[in-house]
Amino acid sequence: MNVTTTTEQARVFRQLQLDAVKTQAERNKLGQFATPTDLAFDIVQYAKELLTPHSQIRFLDPAFGTGAFYSALLQLFSPIQVKEAVGYEIDSHYGLEAISFWRDTPLQLHLADFTQAIPPSCDDKKANLLICNPPYVRHHHLSRIEKQRLQNQTFQITGIKLSQLASLYCYFLCMADAWMADNCIAGWLIPSGFMDVNYAQQIREYLLSSVTLLRVHLFHPNNVQFADALVTSAVVWFKKTVPPANHHIQFSYGKSLATPNKSKLVSVETLRLTAKWTKIGFTPNNTQSNLKQLQLKDLFTIKRGLATGANNFFVLTKEQVIAYQLPIEFLKPILPSPRYLLVDEIEANIKGNPILTQQLFLLDCALPISEVQANYPILWQYLQMGVDNGISDRYLCRHRSPWYSQENRPPSPFLCTYMGRQDTKRGRPFRFILNHSQATATNVYLMLYPLPVLAQAFSQNSELLKQVWQALNGISDQMLMGEGRVYGGGLYKLEPKELGNAIVSIPILF
C-alpha cells in the first residue's frame, strides 16, 4: 500500500465519521482524542531525526485509534524499513475500521486493552520505536478495582507505585516499559500536567532515573492541540537506557515541535531539584535576575472566605437593606459570587464600597440579643424572622455566639476563586481578583492576606499590587489544577493549603 497525503485525508474523513457516531461525553469518558494529522507528522518526523539512518523499525502504538502515527510512519519511512508494526485498540468501533483501512500494510492491530496484554519475552520482538497518544482518562473514571489492577501491574514492571489520582496515561507510559527493547526511542503525546501535578512525581522520577529523557516540548496553553479537548499538551521523548553522567534534556516551548518559540538545555540535577517543570526552561535569561520564585504560602496567609450558614438571610442587596431599614453600622460590603463578578479588578468608591453593578451587604452583629432589642428594634425584628424561619437553628448559626455574628474575614487585596471548570468562556478554572475595596467575600473565594514583609512593601509602593496580581495570573492552570483536586464532570477545587503550594514568579522589589 502506497501511503500518501490522499490516503491520510481518507483516514481523517473516516475518523470524523466514526467520532460523529459517539457523543462527546462517551469519548471524554474513554479519553478518545484523535491526534491531528500535522501534529502526528511532526512527531514522527522528529522520531526520524532520533533514529539512525536506514534503521529497521519495529513500531508500537499502544493506543492506535485509526492510525494517525502509523499513517505518518508509512509516509516518512520506506516500506523496507518498517519491519514490524503493532498496535492496540480497546474500542472495536475504531479498531475494526482501522484493520480494514490498513489491511494491505504490515500492521498487526490487536482489538484489546493494552494494559492487559502480555509483552514479548525477548528483546528482538520488542519495539525499537514507540509513539503514542494514550487515552486521557481521568482517575475518577477508573473504578477502585481497576486502579488497584493498574497500580499492581505498573509496580511489577517498573517498581513505581502510582498515586490513586493518576490518570490512565500515566499507567500506559509505565507499562510500555516492558514492551520496549533496549535503546528503544519513545515519543509520548500527553497532557502537560505531568510536569507539575503531585500525582505524577513518580512519572518525573521514572523519566530522570529509569530512561534517558531526551526532550520535553510544551505547547502554549492557548494553542490547544485537540479541538475537542481543553488540555495543554506536551510531547515527551526518551530512550530506554540509563541516563549518562551530566546528562542534559532539551526543553522547548510554544509554536510547534519542529519550530519552537524557545528552547533550552536543562540538567538532570536541576530537574531533580525542581518540583514544577512547566516553566523550567521557558523564562528568558535576561529576566531571571529580576524574578524570584516563591510558594504562595511564603507570601500570603490564605483562608477560605466566610461561611454564613444562610446567604439568603445574611447577604442582602441594597434594595433589601432599604426595604428592611437595617442599621448601616451592622452591614459590611461583600462581593457577589464569581458567576456575577464580571471584572477581575474591583475599584472602590470613596466609602470603600466596590463599584459593581450588584451591590451586596453582609449582616454582621456581635451584640447580645437583649441589647439589639433595646437599641435596634428594627434589626431585632429582622433577626426574629430568622428565628421563626429556622435560620438560627442551622448548623453554622447555632455554633456561633450570637448566632447572627460572622467569622472574622476582613477584606483582602487578592482573592482566588475556589472552584471552576476549564470549559467556560474564560477557558480557565481559577481567577485571581485584585480588590481595591473594603468588601469581604464568602467561601466561594480564597482570600490572600499579605504577610508582613509583603504588606509593608505594598504600603511603600502601591504599584507593586498590580505587579503581584499580574504574577498571580501568570501561574499556569496546570499548576493550580495539579495542586488541587478534580471531581466528576471536570470541576476543579482548591483548598487554602493547596493554593499555598503553588509557585509564583514575582518581581524582586521587596
Side-chain angles (χ1 to χ4, degrees):
M1 182 178 183
N2 183 26
V3 178
T4 64
T5 54
T6 302
T7 312
E8 172 60 9
Q9 288 170 357
R11 185 200 65 82
V12 171
F13 179 73
R14 191 65 185 119
Q15 173 81 47
L16 293 172
Q17 290 179 317
L18 293 168
D19 286 346
V21 175
K22 292 198 168 195
T23 65
Q24 183 75 21
E26 287 174 327
R27 292 195 295 117
N28 282 347
K29 188 174 181 179
L30 293 174
Q32 295 173 321
F33 304 109
T35 309
T37 294
D38 291 345
L39 180 56
F41 197 89
D42 282 353
I43 289 173
V44 177
Q45 178 68 60
Y46 188 74
K48 190 172 185 178
E49 296 175 20
L50 294 175
L51 293 168
T52 56
H54 312 297
S55 296
Q56 292 293 295
I57 296 169
R58 299 189 302 276
F59 175 76
L60 172 65
D61 184 347
F64 194 84
T66 60
F69 293 126
Y70 184 59
S71 176
L73 181 82
L74 296 183
Q75 292 177 72
L76 287 165
F77 290 87
S78 68
I80 60 173
Q81 280 187 269
V82 183
K83 182 179 179 182
E84 186 176 274
V86 176
Y88 279 83
E89 175 51 51
I90 193 172
D91 190 348
S92 60
H93 177 69
Y94 295 99
L96 288 172
E97 183 64 28
I99 289 174
S100 174
F101 191 86
W102 299 111
R103 61 184 178 274
D104 295 329
T105 72
L107 177 66
Q108 302 170 46
L109 181 57
H110 303 277
L111 297 181
D113 181 351
F114 173 73
T115 68
Q116 299 196 52
I118 299 173
S121 56
C122 56
D123 214 47
D124 60 357
K125 295 294 183 182
K126 295 182 179 182
N128 60 9
L129 175 61
L130 184 154
I131 300 178
C132 185
N133 168 17
Y136 183 36
V137 178
R138 295 185 176 95
H139 73 92
H140 52 268
H141 289 313
L142 301 172
S143 69
R144 182 181 59 81
I145 295 174
E146 183 70 354
K147 285 182 182 180
Q148 190 63 57
R149 179 186 71 81
L150 292 167
Q151 277 187 325
N152 291 341
Q153 284 188 238
T154 299
F155 184 77
Q156 290 174 6
I157 293 171
T158 63
I160 294 172
K161 184 176 182 180
L162 289 174
S163 164
Q164 289 278 326
L165 300 177
S167 297
L168 186 58
Y169 75 86
C170 297
Y171 296 103
F172 261 69
L173 192 148
C174 290
M175 289 185 186
D177 187 276
W179 294 74
M180 296 188 294
D182 289 343
N183 295 309
C184 172
I185 296 295
W188 291 86
L189 174 60
I190 57 178
S192 63
F194 88 93
M195 302 172 74
D196 289 336
V197 295
N198 293 333
Y199 69 70
Q201 173 59 40
Q202 297 94 331
I203 297 294
R204 297 194 291 273
E205 182 57 33
Y206 168 82
L207 294 173
L208 294 178
S209 301
S210 300
V211 296
T212 299
L213 183 58
L214 302 173
R215 183 178 178 186
V216 177
H217 178 78
L218 177 63
F219 292 98
H220 192 281
N222 293 335
N223 184 15
V224 178
Q225 298 302 302
F226 301 93
D228 49 358
L230 287 173
V231 60
T232 305
S233 303
V235 183
V236 179
W237 290 98
F238 59 83
K239 178 187 286 191
K240 190 179 178 183
T241 186
V242 177
N246 301 317
H247 181 58
H248 285 68
I249 298 100
Q250 182 185 1
F251 270 69
S252 56
Y253 175 76
K255 206 171 180 181
S256 70
L257 187 66
T259 57
N261 294 123
K262 302 173 185 176
S263 183
K264 185 176 183 179
L265 291 176
V266 182
S267 70
V268 169
E269 290 73 19
T270 298
L271 289 174
R272 287 192 190 283
L273 297 172
T274 305
K276 309 290 182 180
W277 286 8
T278 306
K279 295 184 179 180
I280 184 67
F282 309 140
T283 305
N285 291 332
N286 59 359
T287 64
Q288 285 287 343
S289 60
N290 297 323
L291 295 176
K292 180 190 296 185
Q293 284 198 329
L294 294 171
Q295 289 184 299
L296 291 187
K297 64 185 177 183
D298 297 325
L299 297 167
F300 302 98
T301 298
I302 304 174
K303 293 184 178 182
R304 284 278 297 276
L306 56 88
T308 68
N311 283 356
N312 59 347
F313 181 80
F314 291 110
V315 179
L316 301 104
T317 64
K318 187 176 182 180
E319 291 73 23
Q320 287 175 311
V321 169
I322 295 172
Y324 289 116
Q325 298 181 355
L326 297 175
I328 195 69
E329 55 263 48
F330 302 116
L331 297 170
K332 301 176 180 178
I334 190 168
L335 298 176
S337 71
R339 180 186 303 178
Y340 301 107
L341 185 63
L342 303 181
V343 297
D344 290 342
E345 183 174 5
I346 302 168
E347 302 293 348
N349 63 21
I350 194 169
K351 294 181 179 180
N353 293 334
I355 301 175
L356 298 171
T357 303
Q358 187 179 28
Q359 295 283 326
L360 298 177
F361 297 90
L362 173 71
L363 176 61
D364 182 13
C365 177
L367 297 178
I369 192 66
S370 58
E371 189 172 339
V372 173
Q373 185 176 11
N375 299 322
Y376 303 95
I378 294 179
L379 174 58
W380 181 81
Q381 290 176 7
Y382 184 78
L383 295 177
Q384 282 304 112
M385 288 173 51
V387 174
D388 295 341
N389 292 322
I391 302 295
S392 60
D393 291 328
R394 293 189 181 183
Y395 180 83
L396 288 178
C397 296
R398 73 171 185 265
H399 284 84
R400 296 197 298 250
S401 181
W403 65 268
Y404 44 83
S405 63
Q406 304 296 340
E407 297 177 272
N408 180 32
R409 287 293 185 274
S412 62
F414 306 102
L415 302 101
C416 180
T417 51
Y418 164 60
M419 65 178 72
R421 303 177 188 274
Q422 277 189 303
D423 55 349
T424 62
K425 289 182 180 179
R426 290 176 177 266
R428 303 193 67 182
F430 302 106
R431 298 162 56 192
F432 284 96
I433 312 297
L434 178 58
N435 179 28
H436 297 287
S437 77
Q438 291 301 304
T440 186
T442 62
N443 58 354
V444 292
Y445 293 95
L446 301 180
M447 307 183 76
L448 287 71
Y449 297 99
L451 291 174
V453 173
L454 185 57
Q456 183 179 0
F458 288 149
S459 67
Q460 295 172 354
N461 179 8
S462 60
E463 290 299 315
L464 187 59
L465 274 167
K466 284 200 175 183
Q467 293 182 44
V468 172
W469 177 47
Q470 290 167 356
L472 291 172
N473 279 307
I475 300 173
S476 71
D477 292 339
Q478 287 69 35
M479 180 179 292
L480 294 173
M481 291 186 294
E483 295 296 346
R485 57 202 67 190
V486 63
Y487 294 86
L491 178 68
Y492 290 90
K493 290 187 179 180
L494 269 175
E495 296 295 345
K497 287 185 178 179
E498 294 166 342
L499 179 59
N501 290 331
I503 295 174
V504 63
S505 297
I506 61 170
I508 303 176
L509 296 173
F510 59 93

